Amino acid sequence: MNPHALSLDRRSTAIGLTPDEFRTLGHQLVEDLAQLLGALPSRPVTTQKSPKQLSALLGDFPLPENGTAANELLKKTTQLLAENSLFNGHPKFFGYITSSPAPLGALADLLAATINPNVGANVLSPMATQIEKQTIGWLCDFIGVPNSYGGVLVSGGNMANLTAFFAALTAKLPHQLKEEGLAATGKRYAVYCAKTTHTWIDKAAHLSGLGKQAVRMIEVDHSNRINTQALRGAITKDKQNGILPLMAIGTAGDVSTGVVDNLLELASICRTENLWFHIDGAYGVPAAVLPNYQHLFQGMDQADSIAIDPHKWLYAPLEAGCTLVRNPQHLIATYSSHPEYYKFDAVQSEVATNFYEYGFQNSRGFRALKVWLTLQQIGKVGYMQLIEEDIELAKYLFQLADQHPHLEAVSHNLSITTLRYIPSGTTHSQEYLNELNEQITNQLQSEGVVFLSNANVQGTYCLRACVVNFRTTKKDMEEVVDYLVNLGHKIHAARS
Ligand SMILES: *Cc1c(COP(=O)(O)O)cnc(C)c1O
């Protein structure tokens, strides 16, 4: 057939799929995925293939001129991914902070994509907008802040923090910022956070035009929390030098060690100094749902803004982050510009929420659905159980390491444990132990039997396990310890 033959009277194209074709393809795909989920524990956590091998496997084929049947494509692609992926849903995956995705979330994404609401504007997503609003309210309830906070779902922690950061600048900088830019304000500014703050702060400093030198990276104390004494000192010094303090950032669940900054004290400093108080709770904030851990999060309800990642400890499939702001008008002041061609408000008489006014995105997908559905599927009580079990499993790993003659348990906070391998015999230099443990981490990650990442805890190279995984059990932890020690012995023996 002539590929350029147009059919304007009756559109005939494979892209549409008939309802029957869609049904058949969908059933087959779900069948294959169900099998994959069932087989997960008995498969490697990740592939051993190098990027070069993967590229060869994929094949260097050009953009196809003509089409291929969808069933063939789905079958091939499912196999390609099933055999060559890292599975963060595997019971022995503890790397970074990437959770086991709730299977209902995967189905929710299918539903969301099929309806395909554009959750930028209420008129384009009537029910989806309501669902996102409800989800945000529930997230507030979940972490224990008043649901007068408002916000927006974003792609993840970086965007959640950035979205709040720019709202803080709009709120705290002189009004000419929006029209005339930072230079016209004629002042120098400073932002405060712990040295251990996630790298999003570098992006924010750079892209905001404040510059990285405007960020005061405050030292941490022996427990890895921001040193509030040093923070007070830095603020005083800046004020003496005519530099205007803008905001302070606390982390609730540090990426490396899971530690939560002293939020109550940060809140008090921010109140006294009239600073915007932001909390990066991308990972740790859901633990505030547990009565036994609530004390760690005291002061959180005084935050001007909070970042939280449902794709971490709420087990949503990637991507789902969320910015919560005490007074959501700050988001609108920052992100809404009401250009002429936006007439959404005119369509409905009552005031509608148009999420394009709350963040960077204009067209927006329906991220809220997977979060909303899973919150209902297991409820708050279901989450309390999972989060507490994750914490207990991380603690169990810490205890196992602590009792083992060849392991050193370095830290445990929330569901993150850091540890390292220590060979027997003469005392080894810190330098040797750091190198050895780095080699163990690299080898472990390439073997794909278990997956841990690493952390630098005050100069000590550690292996790091973060449990945000509803499939993990005690037995997995015991096997991780055996595996680690054996690998340590092997690598140490080969080196000496
Ligand atoms: C994970 C994490 C981030 C980054 O989140 P992304 O979703 O990866 O962008 C930022 N801060 C903290 C504390 C985190 O745990």
Short mmCIF file of all heavy atoms in Angstrom, two decimals, residues 1-7 12-14 66:
data_model
loop_
_atom_site.label_atom_id
_atom_site.label_comp_id
_atom_site.label_asym_id
_atom_site.label_seq_id
_atom_site.Cartn_x
_atom_site.Cartn_y
_atom_site.Cartn_z
N MET A 1 0.85 -1.20 0.00
CA MET A 1 0.00 0.00 0.00
C MET A 1 0.87 1.24 0.00
O MET A 1 1.90 1.28 0.67
CB MET A 1 -0.90 -0.02 1.25
CG MET A 1 -2.08 0.92 1.16
SD MET A 1 -3.08 0.86 2.68
CE MET A 1 -2.34 2.14 3.65
N ASN A 2 0.50 2.21 -0.75
CA ASN A 2 1.22 3.48 -0.75
C ASN A 2 1.13 4.12 0.64
O ASN A 2 0.04 4.44 1.10
CB ASN A 2 0.59 4.41 -1.81
CG ASN A 2 1.24 5.78 -1.79
OD1 ASN A 2 2.12 6.05 -0.97
ND2 ASN A 2 0.80 6.63 -2.70
N PRO A 3 2.28 4.25 1.32
CA PRO A 3 2.23 4.78 2.69
C PRO A 3 1.68 6.20 2.76
O PRO A 3 1.28 6.67 3.81
CB PRO A 3 3.68 4.72 3.16
CG PRO A 3 4.51 4.62 1.92
CD PRO A 3 3.64 3.97 0.87
N HIS A 4 1.68 6.86 1.59
CA HIS A 4 1.21 8.26 1.63
C HIS A 4 -0.25 8.41 1.24
O HIS A 4 -0.75 9.51 1.15
CB HIS A 4 2.09 9.13 0.73
CG HIS A 4 3.51 9.17 1.21
ND1 HIS A 4 3.87 9.73 2.40
CD2 HIS A 4 4.64 8.66 0.68
CE1 HIS A 4 5.18 9.60 2.59
NE2 HIS A 4 5.66 8.94 1.55
N ALA A 5 -0.90 7.24 0.98
CA ALA A 5 -2.31 7.35 0.62
C ALA A 5 -3.11 7.83 1.83
O ALA A 5 -3.08 7.21 2.88
CB ALA A 5 -2.83 5.99 0.16
N LEU A 6 -3.77 8.92 1.69
CA LEU A 6 -4.54 9.48 2.81
C LEU A 6 -5.94 8.90 2.81
O LEU A 6 -6.47 8.53 1.78
CB LEU A 6 -4.58 11.01 2.69
CG LEU A 6 -3.23 11.69 2.61
CD1 LEU A 6 -3.39 13.21 2.50
CD2 LEU A 6 -2.35 11.34 3.80
N SER A 7 -6.48 8.78 3.98
CA SER A 7 -7.85 8.25 4.06
C SER A 7 -8.67 9.16 4.96
O SER A 7 -8.84 8.90 6.14
CB SER A 7 -7.85 6.82 4.60
OG SER A 7 -7.24 6.79 5.87
N SER A 12 -8.03 4.95 8.81
CA SER A 12 -7.65 3.57 9.00
C SER A 12 -6.19 3.55 9.41
O SER A 12 -5.30 3.81 8.62
CB SER A 12 -7.86 2.81 7.69
OG SER A 12 -6.89 1.80 7.57
N THR A 13 -5.96 3.28 10.69
CA THR A 13 -4.58 3.27 11.17
C THR A 13 -4.44 2.28 12.30
O THR A 13 -5.35 2.10 13.11
CB THR A 13 -4.14 4.66 11.66
OG1 THR A 13 -2.95 4.50 12.44
CG2 THR A 13 -5.19 5.32 12.52
N ALA A 14 -3.28 1.63 12.32
CA ALA A 14 -3.04 0.62 13.36
C ALA A 14 -2.99 1.24 14.75
O ALA A 14 -3.26 0.58 15.74
CB ALA A 14 -1.73 -0.10 13.06
N ASN A 66 8.23 1.30 8.41
CA ASN A 66 6.86 0.79 8.48
C ASN A 66 6.59 0.12 9.82
O ASN A 66 7.51 -0.13 10.59
CB ASN A 66 6.62 -0.18 7.32
CG ASN A 66 6.73 0.53 5.99
OD1 ASN A 66 5.99 1.49 5.72
ND2 ASN A 66 7.69 0.11 5.17
#
